[in-house]
Amino acid sequence: MYPQKIKPFLYLGFFYLIVSLIVRIVFFFHPITTAHFGFFEVLKVLVIGIANDVFVFILASTFLALYFLFLSDSKYKKPYGHTILGALVLLFFYILLIPNNIFKQYGGSIAEVALAFIGLKIICFALMLFLPSKRIKIRNTLYFITLFLYVLLIVFNAVSEYFFYNEFGLRYNFIAVDYLIYTNEVIGNIMESYPVVPLFLIIFAITTAITWVIYKKTKDELKSLPNFKQKLVLLGSFILLVGISLVCLGVTTQIKSSNVFAEEIEANGFPKFYWAFTHNELDYFQFYPQIDQKQAESNFLSQFSAPLLTRNVTSEQPELKKNVVLISIESLSAEFMQHYGNEQKITPFLDSLADRSILFTNLYATGNRTVRGLEALTLCIPPTAGESIIKRENNKNKFTTGSIFKSKGYDVKFLYGGYSYFDNMQDFFAGNGYGIVDRNNFKPEEITFANVWGVADEDMAKKAIQVMNAESKSGKPFFNHWMTVSNHRPFTYPNGRIDIPGDAKSREGGVKYTDYSLRKFFEMAKKQDWYKNTVFVIVADHCASSAGSTELPMDKYRIPAMVFSEEFIQPQKFDKLMSQIDLMPTVLGLLNFNYQSKFLGQDVFKKEFQSKAYIATYQDLGFVKDGYLTVISPVKKIKQYTLSQKQDKLTPEFSIYYDEKLLKETNKKIVDDAISAYQSTSYWLKNNQLNR
């Protein structure tokens, strides 16, 4: 009898394993998977992957096991049925009417979810209590719905994992958690990026068909329900399997492979999502390698002329109170520009502007998300493990580029075409003294086009000109940080602006339209009185993609940056390796600012500048210096690569890093430098030493 009672689990489990296997095979052959696999490595990935899937399915079956556990005819007999129904009704009114009930104390929508669940439970229980002749039909209907939800989750998760992998070259991570939180932007993005209606129709059709097959094969199991003793045996067996699965998952999820893609393909998305949800911050001092704290600080601060965290930056020249406009461009990889070898001519304006600017040709982003780029340009510190500072609770009153300008009497603002609550930008910038201009400040007639991420860049350009004109009339200089949005999936924009249709949804179109919008901005700016007294800083927030066969592929972090100002900035190329966190200290140096600094980036034109870069994901912290890439990771792991240089055939004066070779023996001096940088930054943040 017992084997018959597990038929629903066997059918669902088999379906889940088949779907997961198909997803893995697709990932093996996906274009983003740049690694190559030998036969035995493929076999290893599949074996570990199947094991992960089995253990995850057992854990996910907990809800189905509870559903079967509470199936019973005896609970509808007097007096149990009426007592249970009465208790459910009392619980419903407790949640509905008591202001400080236990559900509402958790905040969010938990109370509403509990109320809906209990309400549905009351309806179903009452029907089965008062309509015994319909009990089997009602139970079968509820069983079909339960199976449908399980099958839908399996199918929908497979589709979601594919699209996530297609975008990031990874299974679920912190970004997936963000997507769950910011449902409006994410659902809107999906609606605008993909053929959602046909896709959902296919998903529901497949789900319905599979559910019907499993239902027909297993519905007879509901005719004879196990008694209390049998349920205890089944429950005990299931609890044992859950315990084994938890232990085994702890082992299989720690098995490492020769490259990142192998680890991602053999992994299961559900544990990765759970891990990301519960680990949005990583304690450096718990998970990462360390050296003596005083030695770490001494090593790190030795790069500055005054080896102190708080130090005086002085200039022999008089300060220049020029306006500064910092434009951080969404997802603009260096490879999109002709100056870096692109032949598509999708950034004609930026390429022309680069010829008249200081062009930083060997600059690397600190991360692969917008908040990382904003953090690097605003705080000028290396990235730290876990989420960006912008998204953390302790993100206010920091020492920022805005605080420097504000101390000099500048009007300081953050401009964003979307709703700045996204990614916690509003909380961060407002909490650090920035005025905010976002989509909330637009009148309907000022918006010619918008998608889920915000108004089109050309609309934001017009608004920026309005803001800057108003600031100029106040008699104060201004510092405005504008974050663009149009070069983001779904890559939609107004038709008729460029030669790529706005509904083509192509990344090249997104890049070219952003370039078009920036041209329009500069055309408008050039007509304003404040234009010649303004320094424009143009830089990407991060690259378009960060997927690669190693943890931190260098070419996926290289971004363009330039500083332009008519009759002030003399065109030149700066080819030394540098970090995104060095850009704003360099701009402040060009303005001859005198200030007390806590920035951890350097002015690249100072004689003490040390050429280096910081590149990171949420876990892996990379440090590039002297031809080495050092990566420190949880749990206290260290990898070091030697980096070769390659001259681009189109632009031989530029070099990019490639062909990363893992060293058997590490260069200890560089390792110590890497640890010193990340350990010191984490320590100072933890102790609020980077506050104003």
Side-chain angles (χ1 to χ4, degrees), residues 298-357:
S298 177
N299 288 349
F300 183 75
L301 293 172
S302 64
Q303 65 187 293
F304 301 105
S305 56
L308 300 168
L309 176 57
T310 303
R311 59 200 178 277
N312 291 318
V313 176
T314 59
S315 174
E316 296 178 357
Q317 303 296 321
E319 289 190 347
L320 302 172
K321 292 293 183 67
K322 289 183 175 291
N323 307 308
V324 177
V325 177
L326 168 60
I327 305 174
S328 47
I329 303 175
E330 174 69 45
S331 304
L332 188 73
S333 302
E335 63 186 17
F336 292 142
M337 289 183 62
Q338 188 174 18
H339 275 73
Y340 297 84
N342 189 288
E343 297 179 313
Q344 297 172 292
K345 298 182 179 179
I346 53 177
T347 58
F349 174 70
L350 286 175
D351 279 308
S352 68
L353 195 67
D355 291 330
R356 297 176 286 150
S357 306

Side-chain angles (χ1 to χ4, degrees), residues 232-383:
L232 285 180
V233 174
L234 290 169
L235 180 62
S237 302
F238 184 76
I239 291 173
L240 179 63
L241 285 174
V242 167
I244 293 171
S245 298
L246 286 171
V247 172
C248 292
L249 268 179
V251 175
T252 57
T253 54
Q254 296 302 313
I255 297 174
K256 299 300 179 183
S257 297
S258 58
N259 64 71
V260 173
F261 286 113
E263 291 182 10
E264 292 298 327
I265 294 172
E266 73 188 17
N268 184 286
F270 288 112
K272 287 181 74 67
F273 185 90
Y274 174 78
W275 192 94
F277 190 81
T278 56
H279 293 79
N280 64 333
E281 289 187 36
L282 292 173
D283 185 347
Y284 182 92
F285 298 94
Q286 180 179 357
F287 292 103
Y288 290 84
Q290 300 169 55
I291 60 176
D292 177 75
Q293 181 59 36
K294 289 185 177 179
Q295 185 60 50
E297 293 184 30
S298 177
N299 288 349
F300 183 75
L301 293 172
S302 64
Q303 65 187 293
F304 301 105
S305 56
L308 300 168
L309 176 57
T310 303
R311 59 200 178 277
N312 291 318
V313 176
T314 59
S315 174
E316 296 178 357
Q317 303 296 321
E319 289 190 347
L320 302 172
K321 292 293 183 67
K322 289 183 175 291
N323 307 308
V324 177
V325 177
L326 168 60
I327 305 174
S328 47
I329 303 175
E330 174 69 45
S331 304
L332 188 73
S333 302
E335 63 186 17
F336 292 142
M337 289 183 62
Q338 188 174 18
H339 275 73
Y340 297 84
N342 189 288
E343 297 179 313
Q344 297 172 292
K345 298 182 179 179
I346 53 177
T347 58
F349 174 70
L350 286 175
D351 279 308
S352 68
L353 195 67
D355 291 330
R356 297 176 286 150
S357 306
I358 300 175
L359 178 64
F360 300 96
T361 64
N362 210 9
L363 185 148
Y364 290 82
T366 57
N368 49 28
R369 292 221 54 204
T370 295
V371 284
R372 277 295 185 209
L374 294 177
E375 174 190 272
L377 296 168
T378 305
L379 301 179
C380 305
I381 62 173

